[in-house]
Amino acid sequence: MSLIQLHDVTKTYQSSGVPVDALRNLSLTIDREAFVSFIGPSGSGKSTLLNLMGALDKSTGGKVVVDGVDIATLDRAGAAAFRGNTIGFVFQNFNLIPVLTVYENVEYPLLMLNHVAVKERRERILNLLDNVGMLDQKDKYPNQISGGQKQRVAVARALVTNPKIVLADEPTANLDHTTAFKVISIMHEMQRTFGTTFVFSTHDPKIVGEAELIYTLEDGVIVHHATKEQQRGSQ
Amino acid sequence: MKNLIKIAVRNLFRYKRRTLLTSSLIAFGVVLVIVFGGLAISFKTQMVGVITNTSLGDLQIHKKGYVESIDNLPLNLSLSDSEYTAVEQVLQATPEVEAYSPRIKFGAMISNYAQTSNIRLSAVRPEMEQRTVTDLVRRIKTTGAAQGEFVKPGEIVVPENLVKGLGLKIGDEIVLIATNKEGSVNALPVRIGGVVEAVLGPTGKDGYIHFSDAMILLRMDRPEVIEIAVKVKDFAKLGSVSGSLKKAFSAPRSAAEVHTWDQLSPFASIARIVDLLIMVVKFILISIVLVSILNIMTMSVFERVSEIGTIAAIGTPPRRILMMFLIEGFSMGLLSTAVGVGVGLGIIWILNLTRIDFTFGQMHISLAPSIPAGEVLLTVAIVMLVSLLASLHPAAKAARMEPVDALGHV
Ligand SMILES: Nc1ncnc2c1ncn2[C@@H]1O[C@H](COP(=O)(O)OP(=O)(O)OP(=O)(O)O)[C@@H](O)[C@H]1O
Ligand SMILES: [Mg+2]
C-alpha cells in the first residue's frame, strides 16, 4: 500500500463568498522512500496539496489517506498528534522558534512525543545536527545564524522524530541558489540515510532536477508527471 | 512542563521593555495594597485597641433592653443581685474570659460650690476595672502618691475638659448630685483624686468614682450593676467568645444581653470604612492586573501567530499551546508580585523605623504598620489568580488557531 493516497481530492476555498477551486478531482499515490517534487505556477495548488498531505487542512471532497490514516477522521488534537508522530515539516520561512537555541529547536518535536528517553533524545539530536553540518552552532539562537543554516536546522528538526514523511513547501524560496542546492542535497542525503519520504514544492527548475519524481500542477490538476531522467530528456 | 516554563519565561524576556513596564505596574499595585493595608490595619488595630483597652472593654453585658436606651443612662435597668451572680458564674466558667468589671453608670451634676456642670460617671471596683481596661490607668494623672487603686472611696477621677471648664485641680473638694431610680436627689462630697484624658473625643465627660460611693450616692442597699465590661484573652476570637456568651444568656428567663465593642462604639463605623478602603485598594489592584495581563498576553498572541502555527504544525496539541500562554501570563504575575511584595515589605520596614505619630481627636496613635502574613498571601493569591484568568482568553485564542491560517499569517 502506498504511503500517501489521494483519491479524487477537491479543495474549494471560499474567497469573500466566491468559491475558488484550488484542487480539482486530483488522484495520486506516493510510495515509501520517494523523493517527490511538485512544480507549477503560482496559485496552481501546490501549497494546498501539501497542507492536505500534512493533515494541516482537510479536503472538501475525495479522500486523503496518509500512512493508513484517513485525515478526515482526525480532530484537532488527533491531527496534531498525527503530525507529531508521522510528519516532519520544513517551511519556506524556516519557522524556527526564536526563543530556543538550535539544539532546543531540534529537540522540541521530541518533547511532544514523550516516549523518547533523554539519552536517546540527545544522541538523535546531536547526530542529526552533525548530519546537517550544524553541530558547532548548536547553542546559537536562530537570529544568530544565516538563512541556509536555519533551513538546515529546520531539516534536522523535521527529521528528529523519525517521521515517515517530510513535507517541504518551497523550502528554498528564501535561499540563494548555492545554498538552496546544498539544502536540497542534504534532504536527499537524509532520504537515503533514514529512508524518509520527502515531498517538496518549488518554483526553481534547477532544484527540481534533484527530485526523483516530478509532478506538474496547473489550476489544481496534475498536468504532467515524470521521473528525473524523463524530465532531463524533455528539457 | 519544565520545557513549557522555559519557553514562557524566555518569551517574557524577549520583549524586555514591555515586560518591565507591565510588571512594574503590577508590582506598584501590590506595593499599594501592602503598604496601604499595613498602615490601615495598624491604624484600625490601634484605634480599636485604644477604645477597648481604655474604656469600653472588648464586650459588655447589660440588663436586657439597656443598650436601646443607653443614652439616658437608665438606672432602673440594672442587674439584680441574683442576676449579677448568674452572669458572674457564666463568665468564670468561660476560659476565654480574661477579666471583667462591674460598673454602675449614671449621670450626675458636679459642683465646685460656685459652678455646676454635668458628668457621666462610672462607678467601678478599681482592681477589677484595671484588669479589664488595662490602659486606663496610663491615662489618669494623679498626685503620684496613689499606687495600686486609681480611685479610692471618697475620691473622684474627673475628665480633663471639666478640669479646665470648672477650674479644678487635684485635691479640690467638689460635690456630686444625682437622682436615684426612685427619683430622690442626693449629694455626696468627694475629693478630686485624679484627672483622666478623654478618650472618645472632646465631648467625652466621663469620670470615675468608687463602686461603694455610687451605692451611697444612689442609696442602694444592694449592688445594682448596670454594666459589666469584659476582656477576652484573645481579641481575634472575640466573635466566638461573644457568640458562646450570647448563647449562655439566650434563655428567655435570662436577664442579660451581650454586645461587642463594635456594637457600642461609633468608632466601629470608622473601622468598617477602613476595611472598605482596603477592599477598594484591592479592587484597584485586581483591575490593574486584569487589564495589564490581558493586554500584554493579547499582544503576545497576535505577535506570535506564525510561531503558534509552527508549533501547532509540528505536533503541539492545542491544550499544550493553551498551557504555554497561561504559564506565560502566570509567570508575569508571579514575577511582578515577588517584586511588589519585596518592595512593599521593605517600605513597611522603613516606615517602622520612623514611626508615624498623629492625633485623632483626643486619641494619640503611633502607627507601626505591619501586615499580617495572611494578607500578604491573599494579595499574592489574588494577583496569581487574576493573572491566570486574564491569560485565559488570549491563550484560548492561540490554542484555537488553525495551523494553516496561522502559518499563512506573516
Ligand atoms: N486560504 C485561502 N482562501 C482562499 N483562497 C485560497 C486560500 N489559499 C489558497 N487559495 C487559493 O487557492 C489556489 C491555490 O493556492 P496555493 O497556495 O495552493 O497555490 P501555490 O501553488 O502554492 O502557489 P504559490 O506558488 O504562489 O505558493 C489559489 O488560487 C489561491 O488563491
Ligand atoms: Mg504555495
Side-chain angles (χ1 to χ4, degrees), chain A residues 13-65:
Chain A
Y13 291 109
Q14 293 297 330
S15 183
S16 47
V18 184
V20 178
D21 291 330
L23 295 176
R24 288 186 284 174
N25 305 97
L26 189 145
S27 297
L28 71 84
T29 57
I30 293 173
D31 290 326
R32 272 163 224 280
E33 304 193 22
F35 200 68
V36 182
S37 170
F38 287 90
I39 59 169
S42 185
S44 56
K46 304 183 295 292
S47 298
T48 305
L49 183 60
L50 261 63
N51 287 342
L52 292 181
M53 291 180 189
L56 286 171
D57 207 351
K58 284 176 183 172
S59 64
T60 37
K63 206 169 180 172
V64 180
V65 179

Side-chain angles (χ1 to χ4, degrees), chain A residues 100-103 136-142 144-145:
Chain A
L100 298 181
T101 63
V102 163
Y103 180 93
D136 53 340
Q137 314 281 313
K138 71 176 169 61
D139 295 321
K140 288 195 174 165
Y141 282 89
Q144 297 170 315
I145 58 177

